[in-house]
Amino acid sequence: MEFGFFRGLPKNLFFLDIAGQIAFLFDIALQFFVAYRDSQTHKMVYKRTPVALRYLKSHFILDLLSCMPWDIIYKNMEKDIRINYLFSRIVKLIAVELYCTHTAACIFYYLATTLPPEQEGYTWIGSLKMGDYTYSNFREIEIGKRYTTSLYFAIVTMATVGYGDVHAVNMREMIFIMVFLSFDMVLGAYLIGNITALIVKGSKTERYRDKMTDVMKYMNRNRLERDVRNQVKGHLRLQYESSCTDAAVLQDIPISIRAK
């Protein structure tokens, strides 16, 4: 969104953006202690409880979600036998597809805005007309509508539906669509391959989850002590995490070559 709709930061200030994210984490913590002016009495409120409650009721949830380490959370979801593995994998695949279409949508819009204003009619969005509604002055349209239109163009292109209502009108857009569709073939193969693997044979993570489920049923049925339970689960987890170590790779190689 920064790159396509807001022009983003210069390359030499990229690390400043990362530093801003770190500062944002500290800002969340500080918001619980920052006094505010009451809108009715116009007096400053310094008590910690009202200050914290005000922040929790306002934009705390959005701030927190934006700083969550989603990649680490997903890895833990994959290993957690309480969460359906098929569900977690499908969520990941949908997220991958949405991310790719979102990126393409931002690039589509970026290509339209890099031309001079007098040539914006020769872009995919500047020449777009839906019924009586025209996008000739698309910069003045609300950003939500511009983004939705760009996302629609990206999804229709990725799905190779091609209704014809939105299409490339200059050479740069044609080149990008050719590159995008070439990438889309690889992405489509990745998505279909993952879904097929889920249905047909399952992955190493799924086998680990199945084994852990069987062991948990056995331990519950025999009412094993908590200490024994933790040791068994820890051993299975260690087996799963170390299944691709150097020792495992060298296991099937002859001893003479392994020694060398």
Side-chain angles (χ1 to χ4, degrees), residues 98-110:
L98 290 177
Y99 175 76
C100 292
T101 51
H102 162 78
T103 303
C106 294
I107 296 176
F108 276 131
Y109 184 81
Y110 174 81

Side-chain angles (χ1 to χ4, degrees), residues 174-185:
M174 293 178 187
I175 293 173
F176 175 69
I177 288 178
M178 288 190 290
V179 174
F180 180 47
L181 286 176
S182 301
F183 164 77
D184 178 45
M185 289 188 288

Side-chain angles (χ1 to χ4, degrees), residues 174-260:
M174 293 178 187
I175 293 173
F176 175 69
I177 288 178
M178 288 190 290
V179 174
F180 180 47
L181 286 176
S182 301
F183 164 77
D184 178 45
M185 289 188 288
V186 178
L187 177 63
Y190 167 78
L191 296 175
I192 294 173
N194 272 269
I195 294 175
T196 304
L198 287 174
I199 297 173
V200 176
K201 60 179 181 179
S203 64
K204 183 184 72 172
T205 304
E206 189 172 10
R207 291 193 295 272
Y208 158 76
R209 289 166 59 96
D210 292 340
K211 189 173 183 179
M212 181 68 80
T213 301
D214 294 338
V215 170
M216 291 291 293
K217 290 179 180 177
Y218 171 81
M219 292 190 295
N220 291 335
R221 186 167 61 249
N222 292 278
R223 300 179 180 179
L224 299 184
E225 297 178 358
R226 176 172 294 182
D227 184 52
V228 177
R229 290 169 179 261
N230 292 335
Q231 290 183 31
V232 172
K233 290 190 290 185
H235 175 70
L236 289 178
R237 193 175 298 111
L238 179 63
Q239 278 187 324
Y240 166 76
E241 293 175 351
S242 62
S243 60
C244 293
T245 59
D246 293 341
V249 172
L250 298 174
Q251 185 176 1
D252 296 328
I253 298 177
I255 296 177
S256 59
I257 300 177
R258 195 188 315 168
K260 293 180 182 180

Side-chain angles (χ1 to χ4, degrees), residues 19-233:
Q21 292 284 7
I22 297 173
F24 193 52
L25 288 171
F26 288 101
D27 179 68
I28 290 177
L30 290 174
Q31 288 289 336
F32 286 98
F33 303 96
V34 176
Y36 68 95
R37 187 180 299 278
D38 189 276
S39 59
Q40 296 180 348
T41 62
H42 300 288
K43 293 182 178 180
M44 294 297 296
V45 178
Y46 296 98
K47 292 184 178 180
R48 184 174 299 178
T49 301
V51 169
L53 288 175
R54 178 176 178 270
Y55 180 50
L56 287 172
K57 292 177 180 179
S58 57
H59 50 86
F60 168 74
I61 298 298
L62 290 176
D63 291 349
L64 183 64
L65 289 176
S66 66
C67 294
M68 294 288 282
W70 292 109
D71 51 344
I72 297 175
I73 293 173
Y74 177 75
K75 289 178 183 178
N76 291 329
M77 283 177 59
E78 272 195 326
K79 299 177 186 177
D80 195 334
I81 61 174
R82 295 170 297 179
I83 301 174
N84 184 274
Y85 181 68
L86 181 63
F87 169 78
S88 63
R89 289 291 297 175
I90 289 176
V91 167
K92 178 185 178 180
L93 296 176
I94 292 174
V96 169
E97 182 181 4
L98 290 177
Y99 175 76
C100 292
T101 51
H102 162 78
T103 303
C106 294
I107 296 176
F108 276 131
Y109 184 81
Y110 174 81
L111 291 175
T113 57
T114 51
L115 289 177
E118 61 272 9
Q119 297 182 18
E120 287 181 350
Y122 297 97
T123 62
W124 69 270
I125 190 171
S127 61
L128 183 60
K129 188 176 181 181
M130 294 186 175
D132 296 330
Y133 191 83
T134 179
Y135 285 78
S136 56
N137 297 317
F138 64 87
R139 292 176 185 268
E140 301 174 5
I141 301 174
E142 60 177 347
I143 188 171
K145 197 161 190 174
R146 282 180 282 159
Y147 174 72
T148 303
T149 306
S150 302
L151 191 62
Y152 169 76
F153 188 21
I155 291 177
V156 169
T157 304
M158 176 171 280
T160 63
V161 175
Y163 292 118
D165 50 352
V166 190
H167 55 84
V169 296
N170 59 55
M171 190 61 65
R172 296 192 311 165
E173 294 171 358
M174 293 178 187
I175 293 173
F176 175 69
I177 288 178
M178 288 190 290
V179 174
F180 180 47
L181 286 176
S182 301
F183 164 77
D184 178 45
M185 289 188 288
V186 178
L187 177 63
Y190 167 78
L191 296 175
I192 294 173
N194 272 269
I195 294 175
T196 304
L198 287 174
I199 297 173
V200 176
K201 60 179 181 179
S203 64
K204 183 184 72 172
T205 304
E206 189 172 10
R207 291 193 295 272
Y208 158 76
R209 289 166 59 96
D210 292 340
K211 189 173 183 179
M212 181 68 80
T213 301
D214 294 338
V215 170
M216 291 291 293
K217 290 179 180 177
Y218 171 81
M219 292 190 295
N220 291 335
R221 186 167 61 249
N222 292 278
R223 300 179 180 179
L224 299 184
E225 297 178 358
R226 176 172 294 182
D227 184 52
V228 177
R229 290 169 179 261
N230 292 335
Q231 290 183 31
V232 172
K233 290 190 290 185

